[in-house]
Amino acid sequence: MTYLQQLGTFVSETPFSAIPQPVVAKARRHLLDTLGAALAGADSPLTQQCLRAVQVSEGWGQAQVWGGNSVLTARGTALVNGVAAHALELDDAGGCDHSGAVVIPAMLAVIPQCAQVPNGEDLLGAMVLGYDIARRVLEACGGYSPHNEAGWHSTGTCGVFGAAAGCARLLRLNAKETANALGLAASMSGGLWSFIHDGADSKKLHAGRPAEGGLLAALLAQQGMSGPMEVFEDRWGGFLRTYAPASQVPQALTAELGSTWKLARCSIKPYAACRGTHSAIDALGELMEERDLQRGDIAQITVRASEFLVGMCGGLDTQTLAAAQMSLPYALAVRCLRGNADLSSYELEVRNDPQVHRLMKAIHMEVEPTLAALDEPYVEVLTHDGRTASRQVKTPLGGPLNPLSDDALLDKFRALALRSLPAPQVEALVEVCLNMGEHTDVAHLLALLRRDGWPA
């Protein structure tokens, strides 16, 4: 079989019982976290722009837009909810990169198209498989660093395969149909890093568009449309030769398939910023706490980072939310001045604060040639009285080796979800997501995501 056919068989025929329980438990946490990020992003200007555009172009449908009362077509809902989930940079990372904001919006949007309404185990199984396929495609491109350094944003280019896999699983497509869905998804892949230069909104589309594209690929396959079966083989016009000609590792698509689950390596974000900034935020926090430093004690901060991280997160632009969230100097400035880099630290008033900008000028980014592209940076603090201290945090908070506590996860979810929904509804979502299983009423879950969904 081709790589694609092997993946199609894996997605279609792997029983839920084959997924280890710790992975299932982690899936519940990521589901809750993604819904929280999306509910907070539901009223963002960008999400509302997408909602209006979809209403004009496609009209109404049956799929629920989260945090509101609109129902759109399956494609339109996947797009809007995907954008909402990624709008505030609070969705999970470490998959395709942002797998949750792609896979989960696609899956929940396709449910009205399912002949048999899925239960909670169906949903969790499809989610785990979607995360798995999305990450495997990125690893087949050589991993995050070479693929993104080439100018591709992997959330868009690789995430579409995860969305297609999750939707194919919920639609109960057979192995051949699932392979077709994945093959069709290859022609819906895309996403460029050009947004990094001016803080453009297009980055957020790199969650919504692959969610929409993967869903459409699965629906087309369900209707009998074929996709190319050799899309991952080393052939002209294939995905890997086109997107990763110098870095491709096609065997990563099937290495330890069914025994190593890629969801296990994903992170839940504690900060409202690019994941690349999180280690430095933790390092600065540890240094300030250990040495009892106050914000007025710090004269200069030097960050020695890989060339890749300096290029990606070394900017000083705070004019747009997207630009500020990609700026490591900004993240360190608000951590120093406000004690956190949470969502409130990225409000317009804070981004325009002269005190923040003064401190940003005292934060220097330097390329450290000994660091590989994805190595975590060193943060060095110089105080006004001449003291220095340096720290490298190799396992930032929220990662699989340093996970958020249950209390921290719930605090994050509640703070975000309460922006769109009343408290009783938020607590009901916690109960449904964290106890999801065979007898979960998925229709009840969808109802709870409506703004008027209480009592559901």
Side-chain angles (χ1 to χ4, degrees):
M1 292 192 293
T2 66
Y3 285 114
L4 194 72
Q5 289 167 327
Q6 293 178 68
L7 295 178
T9 300
F10 174 65
V11 171
S12 173
E13 298 182 4
T14 298
F16 179 78
S17 59
I19 303 173
Q21 283 305 304
V23 177
V24 174
K26 187 169 172 61
R28 295 187 182 104
R29 287 167 59 91
H30 280 261
L31 174 61
L32 184 73
D33 185 67
T34 299
L35 294 179
L39 289 168
D43 285 334
S44 71
L46 179 59
T47 303
Q48 291 301 305
Q49 290 162 5
C50 287
L51 176 60
R52 291 192 295 270
V54 171
Q55 288 173 335
V56 169
S57 63
E58 296 193 13
W60 306 106
Q62 296 177 291
Q64 178 62 48
V65 174
W66 307 339
N69 295 322
S70 299
V71 284
L72 303 173
T73 65
R75 286 178 58 192
T77 297
L79 171 63
V80 173
N81 288 340
V83 168
H86 193 43
L88 301 179
E89 206 68 46
L90 281 157
D91 49 310
D92 63 18
C96 64
D97 180 35
H98 298 280
S99 294
V102 178
V103 173
I104 295 170
M107 292 194 322
L108 295 192
V110 86
I111 287 174
Q113 310 304 318
C114 295
Q116 181 177 335
V117 177
N119 62 28
E121 287 189 353
D122 296 331
L123 200 65
L124 292 171
M127 178 182 162
V128 170
L129 290 163
Y131 271 67
D132 210 69
I133 298 303
R135 177 67 195 186
R136 288 179 177 277
V137 174
L138 176 56
E139 292 178 358
C141 290
Y144 183 89
S145 177
H147 188 60
N148 285 269
E149 282 180 336
W152 301 113
H153 187 202
S154 56
T155 300
T157 55
C158 303
V160 67
F161 296 97
C167 290
R169 175 76 174 202
L170 289 179
L171 291 168
R172 300 179 184 271
L173 302 190
N174 62 34
K176 180 179 179 180
E177 292 167 334
T178 301
N180 280 323
L182 295 174
L184 291 167
S187 288
M188 301 179 188
S189 171
L192 297 171
W193 270 92
S194 54
F195 62 81
I196 199 70
H197 303 296
D198 56 10
D201 292 330
S202 60
K203 181 178 191 287
K204 312 309 180 183
L205 287 175
H206 298 169
R209 284 288 287 156
E212 175 194 14
L215 180 149
L216 177 60
L219 290 176
L220 292 172
Q222 184 186 45
Q223 296 302 316
M225 185 175 288
S226 64
M229 288 297 102
E230 297 187 35
V231 74
F232 289 126
E233 269 58 38
D234 188 18
R235 293 184 179 275
W236 180 83
F239 180 84
L240 294 178
R241 185 184 285 192
T242 303
Y243 283 81
S247 61
Q248 61 177 299
V249 187
Q251 58 269 28
L253 289 162
T254 54
E256 300 179 328
L257 193 64
S259 58
T260 296
W261 297 90
K262 302 302 182 179
L263 173 62
R265 72 174 315 283
C266 292
S267 303
I268 290 178
K269 285 185 172 184
Y271 311 122
C274 173
R275 183 64 178 169
T277 69
H278 288 204
S279 172
I281 296 170
D282 286 345
L284 177 60
E286 289 182 11
L287 290 172
M288 292 183 69
E289 290 172 12
E290 289 176 7
R291 287 156 176 79
D292 195 26
L293 297 178
Q294 305 303 312
R295 59 188 184 183
D297 297 329
I298 296 176
Q300 180 177 301
I301 299 172
T302 301
V303 181
R304 293 185 288 114
S306 68
E307 183 178 7
F308 177 65
L309 185 62
V310 172
M312 183 173 70
C313 295
L316 301 175
D317 182 10
T318 64
Q319 292 303 302
T320 67
L321 175 62
Q325 289 174 318
M326 295 300 298
S327 171
L328 198 156
Y330 181 84
L332 293 182
V334 294
R335 172 61 185 86
C336 180
L337 295 172
R338 296 170 56 86
N340 207 324
D342 60 6
L343 189 55
S344 66
S345 297
Y346 287 83
E347 299 288 355
L348 180 61
E349 180 181 0
V350 182
R351 301 203 313 267
N352 290 335
D353 185 344
Q355 190 176 15
V356 171
H357 287 271
R358 281 194 297 272
L359 182 54
M360 287 178 69
K361 292 178 181 178
I363 298 173
H364 304 293
M365 300 284 295
E366 297 180 358
V367 173
E368 173 52 64
T370 64
L371 292 176
L374 297 184
D375 285 348
E376 302 295 0
Y378 292 91
V379 175
E380 183 177 286
V381 172
L382 171 66
T383 64
H384 287 291
D385 60 8
R387 290 175 292 160
T388 62
S390 180
R391 179 66 50 87
Q392 181 193 40
V393 173
K394 293 185 177 182
T395 55
L397 181 62
L401 298 179
N402 187 16
L404 289 182
S405 68
D406 290 343
D407 287 344
L409 175 67
L410 291 177
D411 286 346
K412 177 187 174 184
F413 175 76
R414 288 172 176 137
L416 297 178
L418 285 169
R419 290 171 170 248
S420 288
L421 304 177
Q425 198 165 333
V426 169
E427 295 308 312
L429 278 169
V430 170
E431 181 71 18
V432 170
C433 289
L434 295 186
N435 294 283
M436 182 166 286
E438 179 183 0
H439 302 294
T440 299
D441 183 350
V442 172
H444 179 61
L445 169 66
L446 296 178
L448 287 172
L449 292 168
R450 291 198 313 261
R451 182 155 291 173
D452 63 356
W454 184 262

